[in-house]
Amino acid sequence: MIRDDEIDLLLNDIVETYGYDFIEYSRASLKRRINRLFTIDKFPSFAELRYRIKTDKEYLKRFVEEITVNVTEMFRDPHFYQELRNKILPALGTYPFIRIWHAGCSTGEEVYSMAILLKEANLLHKSLLYATDINPRVLEFARKALFPLSQMKQYSENYIRSGGKNDFSSYYSANYSLAKFNDELKAKIIFSTHNLVSDRSFNEFQLIVCRNVLIYFDRELQAKVFRLFDDSLEHLGYLALGAKETLRFSSIAPKYKQLGREKIWRKIG
């Protein structure tokens, strides 16, 4: 079992050598994941793990992949997408051009879900979706627009529960055991690495979606990310978080108004 002081050493090495900053991540979750990796990869000692991470860039990719959480699905929490469909997209439709940021997009299921919503609202042609994640490997997966065909039944059910009226299979073609989503959807998505902890704002958005990422950050790091989102969001823009996340205790909270029961806030200040 790796001790807390050893984890501190490891995290400092990583930020100094590569610029990835995990220091303020929730310690319990981080410790559990690092120990899991340590066991799976059968390191004889902490020193061996530390040396491998410092000297092997390829292994660092594996480390980042293991300690960042990549659990997602299309139209996850259908009521959330229902809210987007019925209340948020009609308001965004009044803009001449729509910019949406999916922060911590993981393997891309949620950003493709958004592209489908925009297409059905006849807004995709004037939209651009920025999908970012700290993990380059999951972004590579997302770029391919290929998802297991075995998951399409669940995704189709989520889609229908979100208010979808079309045949969900019209958005992809079956390719052996994979579903390949239409190029029309992918053409409007820009995938890029971005570190929510250390990177700056890179555009001004009408909607920022960051769901089930901040639950792994401690309060101080959450505050830093909320300031980044505030800097990146237009006046009257929308910020969407995960079911267990809240803006309520943030320093930017007075500038925002929560809309309904879903975790969507509008910037009013």
Side-chain angles (χ1 to χ4, degrees):
M1 182 73 74
I2 297 172
R3 304 189 309 267
D4 284 349
D5 61 320
E6 292 173 329
I7 287 173
D8 288 338
L9 278 174
L10 195 60
L11 300 184
N12 281 319
D13 285 346
I14 291 166
V15 74
E16 286 171 13
T17 310
Y18 302 105
Y20 288 113
D21 189 350
F22 298 108
I23 289 167
E24 293 170 24
Y25 273 48
S26 168
R27 185 49 64 103
S29 171
L30 205 56
K31 188 174 182 179
R32 188 170 61 250
R33 288 173 180 279
I34 292 172
N35 273 297
R36 180 177 174 275
L37 185 65
F38 181 77
T39 304
I40 288 172
D41 289 354
K42 298 178 179 171
F43 284 98
S45 67
F46 167 71
E48 293 275 356
L49 170 64
R50 186 183 179 194
Y51 179 78
R52 181 79 183 274
I53 288 171
K54 281 185 76 171
T55 59
D56 186 343
K57 274 189 179 178
E58 280 304 306
Y59 191 75
L60 175 81
K61 289 180 185 175
R62 171 162 169 73
F63 178 84
V64 170
E65 196 169 77
E66 286 297 320
I67 68 166
T68 54
V69 181
N70 299 298
V71 180
T72 185
E73 61 185 42
M74 295 192 80
F75 294 93
R76 183 182 189 180
D77 304 325
H79 289 294
F80 167 77
Y81 284 94
Q82 207 167 46
E83 193 85 354
L84 288 179
R85 191 190 290 277
N86 297 333
K87 295 182 180 175
I88 309 304
L89 293 193
L92 294 185
T94 63
Y95 289 86
F97 191 74
I98 303 165
R99 289 181 302 277
I100 298 172
W101 179 14
H102 276 261
C105 71
S106 188
T107 43
E109 285 86 339
E110 291 194 50
V111 73
Y112 285 104
S113 303
M114 181 68 76
I116 289 169
L117 285 191
L118 289 163
K119 179 173 169 54
E120 293 186 356
N122 196 28
L123 298 175
L124 187 61
H125 67 282
K126 63 170 185 175
S127 301
L128 202 53
L129 293 88
Y130 293 79
T132 68
D133 201 279
I134 192 175
N135 185 339
R137 284 196 183 179
V138 297
L139 287 173
E140 198 52 47
F141 184 93
R143 274 191 195 97
K144 293 175 182 173
L146 291 167
F147 301 100
L149 203 55
S150 59
Q151 294 176 354
M152 291 307 115
K153 182 175 181 292
Q154 178 63 56
Y155 293 174
S156 178
E157 288 171 7
N158 289 353
Y159 164 76
I160 291 163
R161 285 169 58 208
S162 80
K165 300 286 193 291
N166 295 343
D167 181 349
F168 186 66
S169 65
S170 67
Y171 293 113
Y172 64 86
S173 53
N175 188 353
Y176 298 101
S177 62
L178 296 171
K180 185 179 190 307
F181 277 77
N182 300 348
D183 288 343
E184 180 189 10
L185 303 174
K186 190 165 76 166
K188 290 295 185 174
I189 306 171
I190 296 171
F191 293 99
S192 179
T193 54
H194 183 275
N195 187 334
L196 287 173
V197 179
S198 57
D199 292 342
R200 295 181 181 179
S201 172
F202 58 93
N203 213 323
E204 197 169 40
F205 300 94
Q206 287 93 30
L207 170 61
I208 296 174
V209 181
C210 184
R211 304 180 69 230
N212 308 305
V213 175
L214 296 174
I215 50 173
Y216 300 102
F217 293 2
D218 71 10
R219 186 66 59 84
E220 192 177 332
L221 188 51
Q222 285 181 14
K224 191 184 289 187
V225 175
F226 282 141
R227 288 193 295 272
L228 169 67
F229 289 160
D230 189 47
D231 290 342
S232 306
L233 201 61
E234 272 189 14
H235 179 61
L236 298 180
Y238 299 91
L239 174 62
L241 302 177
K244 294 178 182 175
E245 297 162 335
T246 184
L247 205 58
R248 192 179 303 158
F249 307 109
S250 163
S251 63
I252 68 167
K255 298 165 69 175
Y256 288 78
K257 178 185 178 185
Q258 188 171 354
L259 309 176
R261 288 183 302 167
E262 294 300 323
K263 296 299 184 74
I264 303 173
W265 284 262
R266 193 166 202 190
K267 185 176 181 178
I268 55 174

